[in-house]
Amino acid sequence: MTSDKTEVLIVGSGFGGAIAAYHLAAGGAKVTVLERGPWLESKDFDHDFLLGSSYTRAFDFVVGDGMSVLGGNCVGGGSVVYFAAMPRAPKFVFERHGSIGRRMWPAEISRDTLEPWYDRVSESIPVTQQDWNDVTYSGGLWAAACHHSGRTANPTPVAIDNAKCTNCNWMMGGCRFDAKRSLLTNYLPAALAHGATIRPLHEVQKIERTPDGGYRVHYNIVDEVDYRVHSESGVIEAKIVILAAGAGATPVILQRSEESLGKMPHGVGRYFSGNGERLNTAILNEDKVREVLGLSREDGLAYEANQIGKGPTVACWDRLDENLPEYSRYSMEQLYFPPGLGTILAQVPGGDSPTWFGKEKKEILKRWKSWLTIFLMTEDDNEGVFGPPPPTGNAFRVSQQMLGRGALKYDPTPNTLSGWAQADAEVKEIMEKDGLAKIAPWTNDVVGAYTVHPLASCRIGDDAATSALHPNHELRDHPGIFVTDGSAVPGALTVNPAMTIAALAERAVPGIVKAAQNRGIDVKYGAPSPDGAINGRRGVTKLALSLAGD
Amino acid sequence: MTLEAYADTIVPGEKRHPDDHAIAGVSEGPGSVEAGALELLETEATGITAGLDFLVPMLNGHAKAYAEEHHRELDPSLPEFVALSYDDRVQLILRLTKNGHPEKDGWVSLALFCNMAFDSAPHLSTAQALADGHPGLLAMGISTPDEDGLWRFPNYSYGRKLAELHPDTTPSGSPA
């Protein structure tokens, strides 16, 4: 077993880990990042479904009881496999009550108070507005269908360099062309430039306290090809630990650490949210696309473009209305979902049982080019709970890479089911108007509900009974341990969450720097954006002083 | 033969020859079996290869019980699941993959990989599979890549405004 020391130990290199790593390293701390996935570069990002290509190396699909979670598993985490949609969460989200019957977000956080932190992220990544020329055929079709049924539709803000994008639609396996602005293109290289160390294929198992008030973190080294194989293990000691392993893994590490660290706050491994997500698959009538919507491509086709594009480009935000009751607000976003693990969940619209497999399902597979996927982000009830942790990692690994079985249980409440049903019904109304398409939601019967945006399993909050973290992201009753990933987000956001996870991580940093200083680490807050821009820093200067308690 | 029959129930195809028992023959064109389901299931990286030796007798055991329950006469020269009609195979798989079935995980995994053999052929390199005429990828209409094996679509947009923006859109392009 190897043993080592650092000042700040960060678990995970996605948004929560990379942002903290950059600021702390730039501020002068010795930072080590442990990442359980491999370290892939743009040349490693394959256009290939072959087992063992970047597609299976870079992300994880963990099947739970009632909920399956798709997440990143590589240096850069979720940012490498996400679709780069970066909207800010609407104002009402921060006022949500959810399952606790009163405001679930900390009193000090609102859209207004988070706005300067969103600005910092927007400058750092950077995030840009799209115009209609950037919108893909599938996004355009969704916009036209929304317009046809009397609704608005918006090109979504994204972290994509459109000049480099080839619309290959392979971005879920990592961007070969460096068009997607993952953390590999901004925060992480900047963190490395300031001396941070990133160790890939290090899967953290548990944390224990050292006699001097610091922490000792235990990890296994994962084989780079067969993730089921762990070759050796080690420990590393740190004065500050930042957990950013993702909402599907951070609570599991804390659960496993309970024996050594002592009792965890009630909120650890509870209140998990799948961001209220649903996927609907429309099978388009190409003639109607031309006749009803007046659409045609350069080559004379009306659509047949499911394979072409860059993830979501257009969303309908008509239901993001603060005056609507909770659980009835949602966004409806066009999305690409590649074949493979997902396609099986598409159901035959209006078909007789079975709808997810069988001869009718094969017929819709043959019309795959005419599919349009609509992604719904609703308000769920934070009903997910993690069961006892598996022996290692956050799941029993089934496949060499990618597929595992986890201990998450998710039994949707009537509130959640009602929100899903309303959103499904509205998409049906839009897509089936005037015979445009036939549509059905993905089935939950096979692997449960499905989220690509796991949230809230160690959430921040004002109330110890319903949150795992203080509003400054420090783990309750365990000073020196912080959580900065999606698990800290209190609940579903009704939009893609990466921007909010990143903004919260930015907001958490001044407090972490202060805690590090208090533990004798010579570190300062105040780095510019990774490319040296300073507008974002200027915008948060006063807020940062306040968050650091100065 | 039993696994072929399971794969053919997930994505059915046409019989390879008149005496093909594994493939029920309820669909035109190749299905999961011809797409390489067996090759994929025997790829160790899937993690279910070692379990197949257990799944096959279990499936035939379930098929035998199903046949007795529904008074079906099974051809004794065939494995029980293969001897079931396509519709009965469907009903049995629905039962095995239903929430609450104690073996659900195993049967769902099997179905996932049988489907993937057709829709993404993860036992093959995608560009090569297309070049070699993989029946599932071709049936879905997946296009071929450029000469370097990478996909690019220079035409990708209708290139015009197609809807009104939401009135509460902020200058950053986000919802208010």
Side-chain angles (χ1 to χ4, degrees), chain A residues 48 135 137 302 399 405 445, chain B residues 46 104-105 125-126 156-158:
Chain A
D48 208 328
V135 165
Y137 295 124
S399 296
R405 185 68 165 85
D445 294 343
Chain B
T46 60
K104 176 184 171 173
D105 277 5
S125 186
T126 307
Y156 60 90
S157 177
Y158 293 113

Side-chain angles (χ1 to χ4, degrees), chain A residues 45-51 61 63 86-92 111 115 127-129 132-141 143-147 151-157 162 165-170 176-177 226 228 289 293-299 301-303 307-310 317-320 338-345 353-363 365-369 398-403 405 444-448 495, chain B residues 6-14 25-32 39-41 43-50 86-87 89-100 104-130 135-146 148-176:
Chain A
F45 296 129
D46 305 301
H47 288 188
D48 208 328
F49 292 124
L50 179 68
L51 294 176
F61 181 73
V63 179
M86 293 287 268
R88 304 177 188 208
K91 273 186 179 168
F92 70 80
R111 167 70 180 265
E115 204 78 82
V127 178
T128 50
Q129 172 68 297
W132 291 101
N133 290 313
D134 305 316
V135 165
T136 56
Y137 295 124
S138 49
L141 178 52
C146 287
H147 182 71
R151 291 165 174 85
T152 68
N154 282 49
T156 48
N162 285 315
C165 180
T166 68
N167 287 282
C168 70
N169 245 342
W170 283 95
R176 176 73 171 219
F177 305 108
D226 191 340
R228 295 168 296 195
V289 170
L293 300 181
L295 294 177
S296 65
R297 289 167 46 180
E298 295 86 342
D299 42 17
L301 297 170
Y303 173 65
Q307 190 181 350
I308 301 170
K310 48 181 172 252
W317 293 332
D318 286 359
R319 294 291 294 192
L320 299 184
L341 279 176
T343 307
I344 194 167
L345 304 178
S353 178
T355 55
W356 61 272
F357 71 91
K359 55 190 175 188
E360 289 189 347
K361 176 63 181 289
K362 182 184 171 188
E363 294 309 306
L365 285 173
K366 290 199 281 197
R367 301 202 48 214
W368 180 77
K369 284 200 291 187
V398 176
S399 296
Q400 174 178 290
Q401 297 160 1
M402 196 167 66
L403 183 61
R405 185 68 165 85
N444 285 356
D445 294 343
V446 182
V447 290
V495 292
Chain B
Y6 194 95
D8 184 66
T9 316
I10 301 302
V11 187
E14 61 189 35
V26 299
S27 174
E28 288 181 14
S32 174
E39 291 95 314
L40 178 58
L41 293 174
T43 302
E44 209 275 331
T46 60
I48 64 167
T49 310
Y86 177 78
D87 289 341
R89 293 177 186 178
V90 165
Q91 291 308 313
L92 180 53
I93 290 178
L94 282 172
R95 181 188 291 185
L96 297 176
T97 54
K98 194 176 168 66
N99 282 333
K104 176 184 171 173
D105 277 5
W107 304 116
V108 165
S109 291
L110 197 55
L112 285 173
F113 285 110
C114 291
N115 186 74
M116 287 166 75
F118 186 85
D119 82 351
S120 52
H123 54 303
L124 301 168
S125 186
T126 307
Q128 190 61 47
L130 279 164
L137 300 181
L138 290 186
M140 290 173 64
I142 293 177
S143 69
T144 51
D146 293 343
D148 61 357
L150 302 175
W151 276 260
R152 297 171 184 83
F153 295 101
N155 295 331
Y156 60 90
S157 177
Y158 293 113
R160 59 189 169 95
K161 181 179 175 182
L162 290 162
E164 297 300 323
L165 297 190
H166 193 279
D168 294 329
T169 304
T170 68
S172 70
S174 286

Side-chain angles (χ1 to χ4, degrees), chain A residues 37-314:
Chain A
W39 195 339
L40 305 175
E41 303 172 33
S42 53
K43 67 177 173 51
D44 301 316
F45 296 129
D46 305 301
H47 288 188
D48 208 328
F49 292 124
L50 179 68
L51 294 176
S53 63
S54 66
Y55 220 77
T56 57
R57 295 170 75 192
F59 73 79
D60 251 359
F61 181 73
V62 176
V63 179
D65 181 2
M67 173 67 76
S68 294
V69 175
L70 192 61
N73 181 60
C74 57
V75 173
S79 79
V80 175
V81 299
Y82 81 149
F83 282 120
M86 293 287 268
R88 304 177 188 208
K91 273 186 179 168
F92 70 80
V93 158
F94 301 92
E95 309 304 320
R96 285 196 59 201
H97 285 199
S99 58
I100 60 175
R102 55 186 165 68
R103 196 176 187 273
M104 67 166 96
W105 281 78
E108 64 198 74
I109 303 179
S110 66
R111 167 70 180 265
D112 287 343
T113 63
L114 202 56
E115 204 78 82
W117 303 102
Y118 277 132
D119 289 341
R120 280 221 77 170
V121 176
S122 193
E123 179 180 74
S124 297
I125 289 209
V127 178
T128 50
Q129 172 68 297
Q130 302 278 80
D131 69 27
W132 291 101
N133 290 313
D134 305 316
V135 165
T136 56
Y137 295 124
S138 49
L141 178 52
W142 174 235
C146 287
H147 182 71
H148 180 66
S149 62
R151 291 165 174 85
T152 68
N154 282 49
T156 48
V158 296
I160 293 174
D161 181 346
N162 285 315
K164 292 180 178 174
C165 180
T166 68
N167 287 282
C168 70
N169 245 342
W170 283 95
M171 67 196 292
M172 244 176 95
C175 180
R176 176 73 171 219
F177 305 108
D178 278 337
K180 179 161 74 175
R181 289 164 170 148
S182 77
L183 297 163
L184 296 172
T185 68
N186 40 68
Y187 285 99
L188 286 174
L192 291 168
H194 285 285
T197 301
I198 302 174
R199 296 191 197 172
L201 300 166
H202 283 55
E203 185 170 70
V204 167
Q205 303 304 318
K206 65 172 184 177
I207 305 166
E208 61 187 5
R209 204 167 273 113
T210 56
D212 62 358
Y215 292 97
R216 185 180 297 116
V217 175
H218 294 247
Y219 59 82
N220 289 343
I221 295 181
V222 179
D223 183 82
E224 65 177 336
V225 174
D226 191 340
Y227 299 166
R228 295 168 296 195
V229 176
H230 294 179
S231 54
E232 53 187 292
S233 58
V235 296
I236 183 165
E237 289 184 5
K239 294 176 178 174
I240 293 278
V241 174
I242 301 172
L243 285 172
T250 286
V252 182
I253 293 168
L254 289 174
Q255 284 177 316
R256 198 181 288 115
S257 304
E258 190 157 32
E259 197 177 339
S260 48
L261 283 180
K263 190 169 171 53
M264 284 295 129
H266 180 76
V268 170
R270 291 187 177 82
Y271 305 110
F272 174 93
S273 163
N275 202 31
E277 291 174 357
R278 298 279 285 166
L279 282 152
N280 276 246
T281 306
I283 317 294
L284 294 156
N285 179 322
E286 294 283 340
D287 292 337
K288 295 288 185 182
V289 170
R290 189 187 308 277
E291 291 165 19
V292 174
L293 300 181
L295 294 177
S296 65
R297 289 167 46 180
E298 295 86 342
D299 42 17
L301 297 170
Y303 173 65
E304 293 191 33
N306 191 34
Q307 190 181 350
I308 301 170
K310 48 181 172 252
T313 59
V314 168

